[in-house]
Amino acid sequence: MSDERLKRVAEPPSPGAAEAARPEDGPDRADNSISRRGALKVIAAGAALGAAASCAPEDAARSAESAHEALSGFEPLPPSNPLAAGTAADPDLLAPVVPWEMVLTDEEMRLVAALSDVIIPADERSPSASEVGVPDYVNEFVSAPAHTEQLTRLRGGLAWLNREARERFGAGDFPALTVEQQHEICDEIRFEPDAPAELKPQARFFDAFRDMVSTGFWTTEEGMRDLGYVGNIPLPSFDGPPPEVLEQLGLSGEDLA
């Protein structure tokens, strides 16, 4: 190795050269590691949040906003309640918003509503799934950026339902069928182990859709009343388990004392 090359290897790079050699911090980084600039932002945000703990409520809210801006690079929306501003990564649970656009078309929403009502129709105990907003829940769920697989499965299943409606009954689409005709199609895919081999993908779609509809329906007030769920209700006092429950368990009030 020549003396000149040895000299270049031995000499440390100048500060300017090191700065030029460092890749830009930003979304195009090749790996998932945190950048130097990002690490400094997190440290600054942590310091701001630590200081907020000993501040007055209004000062704590401002400190949280400063931390949010340091992490994200943009100013947060003003919270509906300054005392519930949260940290840099927390949503405002008192004024929830969906931060992504809804992607299902009007035609797809008609299909979702029709299929939802096949699964949970109206009866003497409760309204149908579509009447309590389940299609909106499904739309919000599959529109989430992390749920592209669920969106693809849903759209494929809905397209299959429309095709079956046309080929079997000459209808324009699945919602145009009678309830009996809709059931005839869905009965073939309602339970994957019993579905024909060629309809296994459609049965998996129906199973996933049924889960979404069930979740959306039984987390509404109407759905919880349908279940007879009595939780989430504050009690002025608690007198202990009912006597019939204790009797079934072979216990008495003295056993709980």
Side-chain angles (χ1 to χ4, degrees):
M1 182 179 291
S2 67
D3 292 342
E4 183 62 30
R5 292 178 64 188
L6 284 171
K7 181 179 179 182
R8 286 203 302 269
V9 171
E11 289 179 350
S14 65
E19 185 70 27
R22 185 170 62 245
E24 287 294 324
D25 300 327
D28 296 329
R29 287 174 60 87
D31 56 22
N32 293 325
S33 61
I34 188 169
S35 67
R36 174 177 175 273
R37 186 176 303 168
L40 291 175
K41 288 181 179 179
V42 171
I43 293 171
L49 288 175
S54 59
C55 296
E58 59 273 14
D59 294 332
R62 284 194 293 270
S63 297
E65 291 180 4
S66 299
H68 183 289
E69 187 173 357
L71 281 173
S72 64
F74 59 85
E75 295 183 3
L77 294 175
S80 60
N81 179 356
L83 299 182
T87 65
D90 288 340
D92 181 359
L93 298 181
L94 297 183
V97 296
V98 180
W100 53 81
E101 293 184 4
M102 302 299 102
V103 299
L104 295 184
T105 65
D106 292 343
E107 176 65 21
E108 288 170 333
M109 288 294 285
R110 286 183 63 247
L111 271 161
V112 168
L115 188 56
S116 296
D117 289 350
V118 169
I119 295 172
I120 302 182
D123 57 20
E124 66 280 358
R125 292 176 48 176
S126 63
S128 68
S130 66
E131 291 177 297
V132 298
V134 168
D136 293 327
Y137 166 77
V138 172
N139 193 11
E140 179 182 328
F141 183 85
V142 300
S143 297
H147 294 162
T148 54
E149 181 180 346
Q150 290 89 334
L151 175 62
T152 300
R153 181 194 294 125
L154 175 69
R155 282 181 157 160
L158 296 179
W160 179 82
L161 289 174
N162 270 348
R163 188 184 68 191
E164 290 297 301
R166 289 191 295 268
E167 293 182 356
R168 294 193 192 193
F169 305 106
D173 56 15
F174 183 80
L177 298 177
T178 66
V179 172
E180 291 74 18
Q181 290 170 334
Q182 291 175 344
H183 285 188
E184 181 177 327
I185 295 175
C186 293
D187 282 348
E188 294 186 356
I189 59 173
R190 65 180 179 178
F191 189 50
E192 183 182 355
D194 293 343
E198 67 274 13
L199 294 181
K200 293 292 186 184
Q202 289 85 342
R204 287 191 288 272
F205 146 74
F206 190 81
D207 183 65
F209 187 85
R210 180 170 49 216
D211 285 348
M212 284 191 290
V213 170
S214 300
T215 301
F217 181 82
W218 277 299
T219 52
T220 64
E221 292 184 8
E222 295 85 353
M224 286 188 275
R225 281 198 298 268
D226 181 74
L227 285 175
Y229 179 68
V230 295
N232 296 336
I233 300 175
L235 299 175
S237 63
F238 179 64
D239 300 325
E244 58 271 20
V245 173
L246 293 176
E247 182 180 355
Q248 184 176 1
L249 296 174
L251 300 173
S252 66
E254 296 178 356
D255 296 321
L256 303 179

